[in-house]
Amino acid sequence: MRFVTRRNNTPSLRNASSAFATVLIALTCALAQPVAAADDKMTPIEIPAQPNAIPLKTGTLPDAKAPESWHSQYGSVFARNVTDATLTPFLPDPAKATGAAVIVAPGGGFRTLSMENEGWDVARALADKGVAAFVLKYRLNQTPADMAGFERSMTEMFSGAARPRPAQQDPSVALAPQIADARAAFALVRSRAKEWHVDSDRIGMVGFSAGAMLTLSTALYGQDAKPAFIGDIYGPLASVTVPADAPPLFIALAADDPFFANNGFGLIDSWRAAKRPVEFHLYEQGGHGFGMYKKETTSTGWFDAFTRWMDMHGWLKPKA
């Protein structure tokens, strides 16, 4: 999202769980940032037609009562109350397909999904580079069904009325439905790899904000998902225990990000300590949630940097 201010290795679980709870509250509070421009208003819209969306069959979110709904904001579109996960393919021209694939996880604090700016637009740009892209519409925490109720709930959370999740919930537990959705996405792409001109061992994942949390958690706790590489775009950078076979990691963050720019770079240090490949781009300006929006900041260049990084590793070249 954009804002106007804009394998199972778990070390020190207690500290990691506490950090995760703090980050999750920061992400959800972020959704309640005050607005300053005309297009910042949340306007309910009809659910867009998604004829290519494939149900992932991970089950309906337990105890879900509010139906899926969508709204427009910032000249983009967002989904919330997603109760059934889907995966939407954006396939390149077979003549230019590289064999690489990326599962794209939009952000939104696990309460909404920036489907256009951090989903479809990213996928289209990847497909234009010859990369098969798949937008993951993962299940979300429930919010009030009506827009006014949703806005009130976010304001209350931003004011501190809501409390962090219990400290005993580590990411593998707290994000269990979303990790299950990501695992199903990887399984689906691999099952149709030949049809989609994808190399099963060259499927990566990129996520934004909360989607970056999901991407990292998929790499650490996703068992059979095993992404070949991962991209963390303005996600939290808390340290983790890194498995010996951790995938190469790309990170992009703005130095003026109000949520994650001032808490150190433990994630990068963790990857380096494990002697796993990591590339980090810290942009002077960009705020949080820049995604594919056109801005007058160098953060707009993150996508070119990401695909150059992919090319450096050979993922944009067809296998010999």
Side-chain angles (χ1 to χ4, degrees):
M1 296 191 63
R2 182 184 68 174
F3 303 98
V4 248
T5 59
R6 344 224 248 222
R7 15 164 178 295
N8 196 10
N9 290 4
T10 31
S12 34
L13 186 55
R14 186 173 304 168
N15 291 339
S17 302
S18 177
F20 173 76
T22 301
V23 163
L24 193 59
I25 291 299
L27 285 171
T28 46
C29 287
L31 301 177
Q33 286 289 305
V35 296
D39 68 349
D40 288 341
K41 181 177 175 55
M42 297 181 187
T43 303
I45 61 173
E46 294 294 322
I47 296 178
Q50 301 159 78
N52 298 324
I54 303 170
L56 286 173
K57 301 179 181 179
T58 48
T60 299
L61 191 72
D63 302 320
K65 297 178 175 58
E68 181 175 323
S69 60
W70 289 58
H71 65 272
S72 64
Q73 189 180 22
Y74 311 124
S76 190
V77 299
F78 300 79
R80 62 188 181 90
N81 289 328
V82 175
T83 58
D84 293 278
T86 66
L87 192 71
T88 300
F90 288 76
L91 303 177
D93 182 333
K96 64 188 295 188
T98 65
V102 175
I103 291 170
V104 181
F110 299 106
R111 290 190 163 214
T112 185
L113 290 175
S114 179
M115 291 297 296
E116 190 167 12
N117 178 49
E118 297 172 353
W120 303 332
D121 288 348
V122 177
R124 291 187 188 102
L126 285 167
D128 190 55
K129 296 283 188 180
V131 177
F134 302 87
V135 177
L136 175 61
K137 187 173 74 174
Y138 51 88
R139 291 172 290 174
L140 297 173
N141 298 332
Q142 288 263 288
T143 61
D146 63 298
M147 183 57 69
F150 172 64
E151 291 176 331
R152 281 195 304 272
S153 74
M154 302 316 297
T155 300
E156 289 168 1
M157 181 164 288
F158 186 65
S159 71
R163 292 293 176 260
R165 289 171 176 259
Q168 68 269 22
Q169 283 199 303
D170 66 280
S172 67
V173 175
L175 299 183
Q178 292 81 18
I179 293 172
D181 296 342
R183 289 178 63 192
F186 275 91
L188 176 62
V189 174
R190 289 191 174 111
S191 72
R192 299 178 65 173
K194 185 175 182 181
E195 171 190 352
W196 287 335
H197 303 283
V198 166
D199 295 327
S200 292
D201 58 351
R202 294 205 292 168
I203 305 170
M205 186 172 182
V206 63
F208 302 79
S209 194
M213 290 178 64
L214 175 56
T215 297
L216 180 61
S217 295
T218 300
L220 296 178
Y221 314 113
Q223 300 175 23
D224 53 351
K226 297 188 183 303
F229 54 90
I230 56 174
D232 180 319
I233 314 302
Y234 44 80
L237 301 183
S239 59
V240 298
T241 291
V242 180
D245 61 347
L249 168 63
F250 177 94
I251 298 172
L253 181 71
D256 61 352
D257 186 302
F259 307 110
F260 304 128
N262 300 305
N263 299 313
F265 307 114
L267 181 61
I268 298 153
D269 295 336
S270 298
W271 237 255
R272 294 189 66 197
K275 302 188 185 306
R276 299 302 299 151
V278 57
E279 178 154 334
F280 176 37
H281 292 255
L282 181 64
Y283 297 101
E284 179 185 341
Q285 297 178 34
H288 187 79
F290 43 84
M292 299 298 282
Y293 290 123
K294 299 301 181 185
K295 300 186 72 171
E296 298 300 319
T297 60
T298 54
S299 60
T300 300
W302 78 267
F303 180 80
D304 288 338
F306 178 62
T307 52
R308 286 171 66 92
W309 175 77
M310 289 181 63
D311 193 29
M312 179 182 73
H313 280 275
W315 295 311
L316 294 190
K317 301 176 181 68
K319 279 186 177 178

